[in-house]
């Protein structure tokens, strides 16, 4: 019985570890500009390419591209170990966070562009 249980646990562990590494490998959301993002509706998914210019405190940063600037909120865990300097080009993925007076981007991931 113990051998059967051990074999079952091992089989499940292997199955879940393989699926945890899998990810979609195909086309996704096309990048937008800051100017376009500022016109989008609340909760719309967005991808932006540009630079993070400076920290504004409380996990908020100023992001810019050739069309303008927008405040982005990047939670500590969403950096995923990526070190970014103002001169680095990055791709951020997230969603529009709009309220009555402001539009920000709630960032889910940050990637350095190569």
């Amino acid at each position: 019985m113990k051998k059967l249980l051990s074999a079952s646990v091992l089989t499940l562990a292997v199955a879940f570890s393989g699926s945890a590494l899998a990810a979609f490998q195909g086309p996704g959301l096309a990048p937008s500009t800051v100017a376009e993002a500022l016109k989008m509706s609340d909760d719309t998914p967005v991808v932006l390419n540009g630079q993070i210019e400076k920290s504004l405190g409380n996990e908020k940063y100023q992001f810019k591209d050739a069309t303008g600037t927008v405040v982005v909120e990047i939670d500590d865990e969403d950096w995923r170990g990526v070190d970014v300097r103002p001169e680095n080009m990055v791709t951020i993925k997230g969603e529009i966070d709009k309220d009555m007076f402001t539009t920000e981007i709630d960032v889910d991931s940050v990637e350095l562009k190569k």
Side-chain angles (χ1 to χ4, degrees):
M1 183 67 170
K2 285 185 181 180
K3 287 182 182 181
L4 179 59
L5 182 60
S6 295
S8 297
V9 170
L10 180 60
T11 301
L12 287 172
V14 170
F16 283 116
S17 68
S19 65
L21 299 175
F24 178 69
Q25 299 295 322
L29 190 61
S32 299
T33 65
V34 168
E36 292 168 336
L38 291 172
K39 297 176 188 173
M40 293 178 181
S41 300
D42 190 37
D43 297 328
T44 302
V46 67
V47 175
L48 299 173
N49 294 313
Q51 297 165 289
I52 298 172
E53 291 186 297
K54 64 182 174 180
S55 172
L56 303 174
N58 296 325
E59 299 182 334
K60 296 195 184 222
Y61 302 86
Q62 184 172 304
F63 178 89
K64 76 166 186 169
D65 70 6
T67 68
T69 62
V70 66
V71 173
V72 298
E73 182 176 346
I74 308 171
D75 295 335
D76 291 336
E77 64 271 11
D78 293 331
W79 286 101
R80 299 185 182 134
V82 175
D83 289 322
V84 176
R85 297 179 184 278
E87 60 270 12
N88 296 136
M89 291 296 294
V90 297
T91 298
I92 60 172
K93 296 176 183 176
E95 64 183 36
I96 304 298
D97 185 13
K98 217 171 233 207
D99 67 23
M100 190 174 287
F101 301 108
T102 63
T103 299
E104 297 181 356
I105 310 297
D106 185 6
V107 176
D108 296 321
S109 68
V110 179
E111 301 170 12
L112 282 173
K113 288 192 59 95
K114 297 179 182 181

